[in-house]
Amino acid sequence: MNRRSVAVTVVSILALTGLGYSGWRFVAQREHQTCRACSRPVHDHSRTIASINGKRGYYCCPACALSEHQQSGKPVQVTQLTDYMGGGALVPSESYIVQNSDINPCTRHEAVITPDKQPAHAHFDRCSPSILAFGDMKTARVFVAEHGGQVDRFSDFASAFQR
Ligand SMILES: [Zn+2]
């Protein structure tokens, strides 16, 4: 190998390494921004971290993470929730959830209208009915008074998904 081809080889290796690194960075960033299950954007106020079969991932909302149980038949451990009101991280065992309210961060931009201008209800959506997390029961109750739904302790609600 002469000097020139050594130089070309070194430059190529450097260029390839650089490309690989920026590609990896891109993928790593995307993993934090799109839901592992449905590829919707992960919303700041419903971000959920869950572990399925020992694999940890980001989900767009608690409903989507828990529906992995139905989809895969595997136990789902939710390890972090996000306070819908404040946007802060919550410990699931100390959190409350509101399910079935009229707020669903995953579907609000995707209203399905049938040709006769009626909303379509029958389609399956893994993020519906919506589940939102709250840090305390009082805030959850105030939310329900305005938006409907039921308040539950997250741990009571989620126990069925952990087997
Ligand atoms: Zn999702």
Side-chain angles (χ1 to χ4, degrees):
M1 225 189 245
N2 64 31
R3 249 198 153 113
R4 209 184 113 85
S5 58
V6 169
V8 167
T9 311
V10 169
V11 168
S12 317
I13 289 171
L14 284 176
L16 282 174
T17 314
L19 273 179
Y21 178 69
S22 49
W24 174 81
R25 266 177 60 101
F26 179 72
V27 170
Q29 264 183 6
R30 269 183 66 87
E31 274 181 2
H32 288 259
Q33 288 165 349
T34 55
C35 173
R36 182 163 93 179
C38 70
S39 301
R40 285 186 169 115
V42 173
H43 322 283
D44 289 344
H45 286 228
S46 61
R47 178 188 291 115
T48 301
I49 304 176
S51 184
I52 287 131
N53 242 7
K55 279 210 242 151
R56 194 167 161 276
Y58 285 77
Y59 292 87
C60 57
C61 64
C64 192
L66 292 171
S67 72
E68 287 282 69
H69 186 263
Q70 198 185 340
Q71 305 284 318
S72 67
K74 306 249 164 60
V76 176
Q77 295 289 341
V78 173
T79 55
Q80 189 183 305
L81 293 166
T82 302
D83 186 7
Y84 180 71
M85 284 303 178
L90 297 176
V91 178
S93 59
E94 295 163 9
S95 310
Y96 295 86
I97 52 126
V98 170
Q99 56 167 326
N100 221 358
S101 69
D102 62 4
I103 303 282
N104 189 335
C106 299
T107 56
R108 67 184 166 190
H109 299 303
E110 298 172 27
V112 178
I113 307 288
T114 55
D116 55 350
K117 304 272 195 294
Q118 295 300 307
H121 292 296
H123 75 291
F124 168 78
D125 190 301
R126 58 181 298 137
C127 302
S128 295
S130 81
I131 298 175
L132 299 171
F134 293 83
D136 65 280
M137 183 176 264
K138 205 174 145 211
T139 315
R141 288 233 166 99
V142 170
F143 178 86
V144 164
E146 205 174 321
H147 297 284
Q150 301 98 46
V151 185
D152 258 312
R153 276 178 185 282
F154 180 79
S155 45
D156 292 346
F157 177 77
S159 59
F161 299 88
Q162 290 165 351
R163 289 187 288 270

